[in-house]
Amino acid sequence: MGSSKLKINKDLFLAFFRVGLLGFGGGPAAIPLFHREAVVNYKWMTEDEFGDTLALGNTMPGPIATKMAGYIGYRVNGVIGCIVALIATVVPTVILMIILLGILQKYKNLEWVNSMSAAVVPVVGVMLAIMTWDFFQKSGKSLGMGRAIAFTAIAVVLLELLNIHPAIVILGILIVSLTTFKKGGRSK
């Protein structure tokens, strides 16, 4: 690897390590950090290119931080750049989570830590309920509401009553959905 490629990878790592460290957890709050590194500091892209990349990234599923890091890294230095940028973005979050979980584990017997932990459970429950309802509504539109209700009931029985592994249930539903129904819930 030439010294210019090494410098590019070093710059990619440092830029995205800062984003990963300061934009803890990624999400929309990290976007200005990506902008600063990619457009202002290193000039890897223009304002318009960054805006287009962000718009495209927001249309795809998954966390925006990894999509932005992966694309910008790939654009700057191909597959190696993509890998370097992704590792640099994700590693700080992983390290911080390990540290925070270690601290939580060490002080788990303190009353205020237990109360704080318990307070998170209803919030996560509500978030999961909202996400489940959104998925259910999307399923109703693509499969038809009757089939969405049937698949949901079957999944509950298989997962909760028969204790079948979720991956097997998801695979089965995908196979049935993709081979049996057209969009809108009509049979093929």
Side-chain angles (χ1 to χ4, degrees), residues 17-24 29 33 92:
F17 189 80
R18 282 190 293 268
V19 170
L21 193 61
L22 299 174
F24 180 74
L33 300 170

Side-chain angles (χ1 to χ4, degrees), residues 13 25 28 33 44 62 82 85 88 103 132 144 188:
F13 185 84
L33 300 170
W44 289 323
C82 174
I103 292 169
T132 302
K188 286 186 177 178

Side-chain angles (χ1 to χ4, degrees), residues 48-179:
D48 288 341
E49 291 169 331
F50 184 84
D52 291 345
T53 302
L54 181 60
L56 181 61
N58 279 323
T59 64
M60 297 185 296
I64 192 68
T66 54
K67 291 182 284 188
M68 294 295 285
Y71 175 75
I72 295 168
Y74 182 80
R75 181 184 163 129
V76 171
N77 197 27
V79 173
I80 298 297
C82 174
I83 293 168
V84 167
L86 285 169
I87 289 171
T89 303
V90 172
V91 165
T93 302
V94 170
I95 291 170
L96 288 171
M97 285 302 299
I98 290 169
I99 291 169
L100 289 173
L101 288 171
I103 292 169
L104 183 64
Q105 181 66 25
K106 183 175 181 177
Y107 296 106
K108 69 181 180 183
N109 294 326
L110 295 176
E111 184 59 35
W112 69 270
V113 173
N114 282 327
S115 298
M116 181 180 67
S117 298
V120 170
V121 173
V123 173
V124 171
V126 168
M127 290 170 58
L128 288 172
I130 290 169
M131 184 178 69
T132 302
W133 179 249
D134 288 344
F135 282 141
F136 181 74
Q137 286 180 314
K138 288 176 186 173
S139 296
K141 289 178 184 173
S142 63
L143 295 172
M145 196 52 76
R147 288 189 178 101
I149 291 169
F151 279 153
T152 302
I154 290 168
V156 167
V157 169
L158 293 173
L159 291 169
E160 297 300 322
L161 299 178
L162 301 177
N163 293 318
I164 295 176
H165 194 278
I168 295 170
V169 174
I170 291 169
L171 182 62
I173 290 174
L174 283 173
I175 290 170
V176 170
S177 296
L178 295 173
T179 59

